[in-house]
Amino acid sequence: MSPPPLDKAAVARILREISLLLQLKGENAFKVRAYDTGADRLLGMTQELGALVREGRLTELPGIGQGLADKIAELVTTGKLGLYEELKAAFPPGLLEMLQLPELGPKKVMALWNELKVGSVADLEKACREGRVRALKGFGARSEAKILEGIALHQRVHGKRKRLGDVLPTVEGLLERLKAAPGVVRVSPAGSVRRRAETVGDVDLLASAPEAGPVLDVLATAPGVAVVLGKGESKCSVRMTEGDLQVDLRVLPDEDFATALHHFTGSKAHHVRLRGLGQDKGYKISEWGVHRADGTKLLIREEADLYKLLGMQDIPPELREDSGEIEAALEGRLPEDLLTLEDVRGAVHSHSTWSDGRNSLEEMARAAQALGFQYLTVTEHSQAAVYAGGLKEEELERQWEEIDRVNEAVPGFRLLKGIEVDILETGALDYRDSVLERLEVVIGSVHIRHGMDEEQMTRRLLSAMDNPCLNIIGHPTGRLIHEREPYPFRMEEVLDRAAERGVVMEVNGSPARLDLKAEHVRQAVQRGVKLVVSVDAHKISDLHHVAFAVATARKGWARKGEVLNTLPADPFIAKLKALRAR
Ligand code: DGT
Ligand code: CA
Ligand code: CA
Ligand code: ZN
């Protein structure tokens, strides 16, 4: 089996890497620039790359000569390129990362490598701290200090934990490629990605195959890989260009897959406790499998077999944080009907060109239907949200006419009339009740004046909940991961009130939000508060956010019955109203 064909972006990435490697080699600027130009041309072209290669027409692209065309053709047809392999073998991969530092060009990087055998950013940091760099020609004590500053900056920018929603699409792309790799039996994410933690340090992947080498090669040469950080017999680590994400892949024989997957899924705390339970029963559980006291190995085909062996319910990865799931599984109290993506019938929370969205209502409706949703709640911003093109009351009424039109034009699908109404500073809602009463879905959100203190903000939210027109509190804490802290308020008091008054809490799936977050979902569920999992879509591609909301809800132990948009449209609307009529 051959690796999947390389696409434009993958070929362009390789050309850029070749350009950097040629610079390290000291090639002339003209030759180096040809590869960069080639990468630009590929990324800018509209034609299908495969077709151009087959027809031998690559040289028709401006800036691509015969020599480069041949190399691109070799890459596209064989997935490999002799020159690239040679260059990569000639330099340690860490040199490319060193090139990203502000202080260092190819000459300096090569001097560090040739004179000091500094081959990575980590080596370089150590050498600077030990004062070994200043002795080199062209460097000094000052440049040592500058390099250290550059490394600190590099680590601040690149060392941050990544947001789950930003990472999952990359992970899914890699898993697709790995599934098609030679001999692969099973593949899975592991680590924090599989547990759907809200941020991810690095991505862990696992595959089973009789032979690891060819599978590791598929990762090492996958499109989007910037640097191969290391490659051994059963393991390969790479850094992706996009988001500077590190990915670790392990490949092992299929009989070890389940126990390795369990080990590398973690969390560490969960795994350590299970090892203890195993010990009590006379089993040694490790990365290498489950062994009896006499050293013989048990065959564990699936993770579920491991939990069964320990006399407990199977625990979904999202719950493996040692936060009560082990006790619950031992006592059989773990929910069997955790929310799944397939349960969700309606997409909640969307914006169109009527406010700050990018697509028309009809485009949103058709895209949502294509993804399998039965309905989409149209919830533009209200008038106070001037910055987001919030609607005046009259505009809202005009929008209903368009919604009716789209609903006729798209059979079998329904746009629901709603609003994301601003919760004003006083806790009042931004429209008159006479308008809100005519809507099918009212989400209330805090968008302005985040700076109130805990007391004021708690009162603001509680008083908004006094309005019976309000169905759902949108992104209840207002946090933006890595960007903005949640506004302060007394969560438990608000959740108690929501339970009492039938106000629903949103689990917003926008990658920067995940709000409520998993811990808060769990608090809400414990109080009997109902939820919606939302997309907060400002364009059609955002409709995929539902997966991140579902992940967060599962991580908060939410069951299908607690999430209202698992209902069809009419029961959904009826339930929202009934909750508030109590
Ligand atoms: P991250 O990468 O910081 O988002 O979090 P994780 O959970 O993915 O952690 P990572 O990548 O360091 O390790 C992946 C999994 O491997 C971890 O969830 C559990 C397992 N693991 C790593 N180190 C240890 C260890 O020292 N003991 C045990 N039992 N498991 C470990
Ligand atoms: Ca990890
Ligand atoms: Ca890892
Ligand atoms: Zn919104």
Side-chain angles (χ1 to χ4, degrees):
M1 236 185 345
S2 55
L6 295 180
D7 60 14
K8 268 187 272 198
V11 175
R13 175 188 60 73
I14 292 173
L15 296 184
R16 289 224 198 281
E17 205 174 315
I18 290 175
S19 148
L20 290 174
L21 291 163
L22 288 173
Q23 291 175 53
L24 290 178
K25 205 178 157 195
E27 282 289 353
N28 73 57
F30 179 74
K31 191 166 171 188
V32 167
R33 183 139 353 101
Y35 286 89
D36 276 325
T37 309
D40 290 342
R41 290 286 175 270
L42 289 185
L43 290 174
M45 76 185 208
T46 51
Q47 300 97 317
E48 212 246 311
L49 180 59
L52 282 191
V53 169
R54 275 194 305 281
E55 295 157 19
R57 291 169 43 218
L58 274 173
T59 48
E60 288 173 19
L61 294 173
I64 296 194
Q66 192 59 52
L68 189 55
D70 290 344
K71 295 197 176 69
I72 293 173
E74 190 179 337
L75 268 172
V76 170
T77 46
T78 70
K80 284 206 158 93
L81 177 62
L83 169 72
Y84 179 48
E85 303 300 325
E86 272 166 41
L87 284 168
K88 276 204 297 189
F91 304 98
L95 297 190
L96 290 177
E97 194 184 2
M98 284 163 64
L99 269 179
Q100 291 180 21
L101 295 174
E103 299 305 312
L104 298 182
K107 285 212 177 68
K108 289 196 165 168
V109 167
M110 283 317 290
L112 287 162
W113 171 239
N114 289 330
E115 308 294 324
L116 296 177
K117 289 292 164 245
V118 161
S120 68
V121 172
D123 289 350
L124 179 59
E125 183 174 3
K126 189 155 176 280
C128 285
R129 293 210 186 286
E130 292 169 0
R132 287 186 281 131
V133 171
R134 66 185 68 183
L136 282 188
K137 191 163 163 263
F139 294 81
R142 227 181 90 80
S143 49
E144 230 171 32
K146 285 232 160 231
I147 290 172
L148 282 173
E149 267 171 42
I151 292 175
L153 178 71
H154 181 78
Q155 285 167 344
R156 266 204 302 287
V157 175
H158 300 289
K160 246 189 203 171
R161 297 180 64 79
K162 312 293 184 286
R163 303 184 298 202
L164 178 70
D166 297 333
V167 164
L168 276 181
T170 309
V171 171
E172 274 152 21
L174 289 174
L175 288 173
E176 278 310 305
R177 291 186 88 77
L178 290 171
K179 258 183 224 163
V184 161
V185 186
R186 291 190 267 184
V187 296
S188 174
S192 50
V193 169
R194 182 159 183 249
R195 299 196 314 278
R196 299 296 194 250
E198 65 184 38
T199 62
V200 166
D202 67 3
V203 173
D204 304 281
L205 304 179
L206 224 65
S208 62
E211 234 194 299
V215 184
L216 298 173
D217 286 342
V218 167
L219 178 68
T221 59
V225 170
V227 192
V228 177
L229 300 168
K231 194 148 162 267
E233 297 212 329
S234 62
K235 205 186 138 176
C236 177
S237 292
V238 301
R239 194 190 307 289
M240 308 299 290
T241 313
E242 194 176 326
D244 218 41
L245 182 68
Q246 182 174 330
V247 179
D248 297 339
L249 169 68
R250 287 178 183 81
V251 184
L252 22 84
D254 196 60
E255 61 265 26
D256 291 334
F257 185 78
T259 44
L261 179 61
H262 188 265
H263 175 89
F264 289 111
T265 295
S267 65
K268 195 169 155 185
H270 176 92
H271 194 261
V272 165
R273 287 220 37 212
L274 278 205
R275 278 206 311 246
L277 290 175
Q279 234 159 27
D280 297 345
K281 290 186 178 286
Y283 301 117
K284 184 171 185 302
I285 300 174
S286 75
E287 171 184 357
W288 313 109
V290 180
H291 293 84
R292 297 188 192 85
D294 63 8
T296 54
K297 188 166 169 177
L298 272 78
L299 181 64
I300 304 283
R301 284 285 313 154
E302 310 284 342
E303 284 182 326
D305 299 340
L306 183 61
Y307 288 106
K308 202 188 275 170
L309 186 75
L310 299 176
M312 59 206 295
Q313 287 173 288
D314 188 11
I315 303 180
E318 295 92 333
L319 271 47
R320 298 182 195 167
E321 301 290 352
D322 190 21
S323 58
E325 77 280 7
I326 294 175
E327 293 75 6
L330 285 167
E331 291 162 21
R333 290 188 283 110
L334 218 56
E336 300 274 1
D337 51 354
L338 275 194
L339 178 73
T340 67
L341 193 54
E342 293 69 43
D343 293 331
V344 180
R345 305 258 178 101
V348 169
H349 193 155
S350 73
H351 304 272
S352 73
T353 46
W354 280 83
S355 66
D356 62 346
R358 260 197 252 153
N359 292 96
S360 69
L361 286 177
E362 182 164 348
E363 287 165 345
M364 293 296 284
R366 291 194 186 279
Q369 186 177 42
L371 286 174
F373 290 112
Q374 297 172 2
Y375 56 95
L376 171 71
T377 74
V378 177
T379 53
E380 309 289 2
H381 291 288
S382 63
Q383 51 203 2
V386 179
Y387 61 92
L391 271 56
K392 300 250 181 291
E393 290 179 352
E394 322 80 74
E395 290 173 291
L396 185 64
E397 293 187 27
R398 272 198 286 120
Q399 188 189 42
W400 298 341
E401 293 163 25
E402 186 175 326
I403 290 179
D404 289 337
R405 249 198 332 274
V406 173
N407 281 343
E408 290 214 357
V410 186
F413 188 82
R414 221 167 118 191
L415 290 177
L416 304 189
K417 292 170 187 159
I419 194 73
E420 180 179 17
V421 67
D422 259 76
I423 297 175
L424 302 175
E425 214 170 317
T426 56
L429 303 182
D430 189 28
Y431 286 136
R432 287 173 297 167
D433 287 359
S434 58
V435 176
L436 294 174
E437 273 163 6
R438 296 162 65 196
L439 288 161
E440 292 170 306
V441 184
V442 175
I443 299 176
S445 300
V446 168
H447 287 122
I448 45 170
R449 291 277 283 130
H450 278 225
M452 296 167 90
D453 67 21
E454 182 184 77
E455 177 60 32
Q456 292 169 323
M457 192 58 92
T458 305
R459 269 195 267 146
R460 179 176 177 181
L461 290 170
L462 292 177
S463 97
M465 290 158 78
D466 284 339
N467 185 328
C469 296
L470 176 85
N471 302 120
I472 301 165
I473 301 270
H475 40 76
T477 77
R479 68 108 173 235
L480 294 173
I481 301 173
H482 290 341
E483 288 168 43
R484 188 171 72 203
E485 291 298 311
Y487 39 74
F489 68 94
R490 292 190 293 277
M491 177 62 82
E492 302 194 347
E493 203 171 322
V494 167
L495 291 178
D496 283 339
R497 184 71 61 89
E500 185 185 308
R501 298 283 174 86
V503 174
V504 175
M505 288 285 152
E506 178 182 53
V507 183
N508 188 302
S510 178
R513 292 192 181 274
L514 303 186
D515 184 10
L516 293 179
K517 64 177 175 179
E519 294 93 301
H520 292 146
V521 170
R522 199 151 164 213
Q523 289 178 9
V525 165
Q526 279 163 351
R527 288 169 166 76
V529 175
K530 298 291 186 211
L531 307 168
V532 290
V533 284
S534 84
V535 290
D536 199 350
H538 289 75
K539 53 186 181 301
I540 57 182
S541 57
D542 291 348
L543 291 164
H544 292 283
H545 292 168
V546 66
F548 315 142
V550 168
T552 305
R554 282 172 67 84
K555 209 165 173 56
W557 298 44
R559 305 152 75 152
K560 177 182 178 185
E562 288 156 344
V563 179
L564 299 190
N565 52 326
T566 59
L567 296 168
D570 281 323
F572 171 68
I573 299 166
K575 182 75 185 179
L576 289 176
K577 301 265 181 265
L579 278 169
R580 294 307 329 253
R582 289 191 312 199

